[in-house]
Amino acid sequence: MRQGKYPFVIGFLIAPLALYGMFVLRPIAAAVQVSMTNWSGLSPNFDFVGLENFQKLLDDDKVWLAAKHHVFLLVTLPVITIALALFFAFLLNMGGGTRGGMMTGVWGSKFYRVVFFLPQVLAVVIVGVIFGRVYAPDGSGVLNRFLELFGVDAVQFMAEYGLWSILGVLVWQAVGFYVVLFAAGMSSIPAEIYEAAVMDGASRVTIFFRVTIPLLMETVKVAWVYLGILAMDAFALVMVLSIDEGGPDGATTVLPVQIYKSGIRESDYGYASALGVALAVFTIIFAVLSLRGGKRNAVEH
């Protein structure tokens, strides 16, 4: 039995490893290879240019502007989304106070979970179209019509506050998923811990900050990574919502939009691949640092 152990294991690994190599590693290697060429995407002929595309990337002001926007989203999107999701999840699980010594959620909490999760099932393009009407600059816009009730002049949301407007949509769509994630995490915390906190006279605020958040820190860390990866994308929303696909004047541009314009619009696939490789490396570094950060502070129950 022991002699047949390794052939058995290898037999099961060959197929998934072959598929992974074919459909994941090979495209990545091809993208790296193309990033070192001047391939136009239209001709089978191209020249090897070494690191020239990466040097061009470093000298491109649009790339640095897009990177700056990613840093903005990388900081604000996880912070706002996680804060809102933790608050709502706590209300759904423990906002109703104590009943028989047990913490309970607010009335109708199961219904609210469905409501919160609804934006998550909508396609990004549909969300973009919806918020196109919400942010509409004339009187037909939902927000501007609301502001008119208070005598406020129409606001050009995508022209004046483009990146903040896109951030608002990203938070609106993402927060529901993390409410459900954190609510499930809170449900897994032993009730005895909360009972002991209640018997010691801890308020709901104290329980939230001193008990719930430390015990959910691992889940929060994973949420931070996923939201950070989302902040590195935002392509579809920018393309649907923004003025002139990343405008005005690059005010809402992100790296995926620059990749699209370089590759599809300008037929410079070598440079577009270099941008893609840089974005992938940036994302991997962020994910590794986020997962390793705070590892020593993990609290188990």
Side-chain angles (χ1 to χ4, degrees), residues 78-95 116 174-186 189 194 204 208-209 211-221 223-224 227:
V79 169
I80 296 173
T81 304
I82 290 174
L84 288 174
L86 281 171
F87 175 72
F88 288 130
F90 187 77
L91 288 180
L92 294 180
N93 279 51
M94 301 158 199
F116 280 127
V175 71
F177 174 80
Y178 294 97
V179 168
V180 175
L181 180 70
F182 293 147
M186 290 178 189
I189 298 174
Y194 288 115
R204 274 179 283 187
F208 178 69
F209 285 104
V211 178
T212 303
I213 290 183
L215 292 175
L216 278 181
M217 194 51 69
E218 285 297 305
T219 308
V220 171
K221 194 165 60 176
W224 188 286
L227 287 165

Side-chain angles (χ1 to χ4, degrees), residues 48 73 82 111 191 294:
F48 181 75
L73 293 175
I82 290 174
F111 172 74

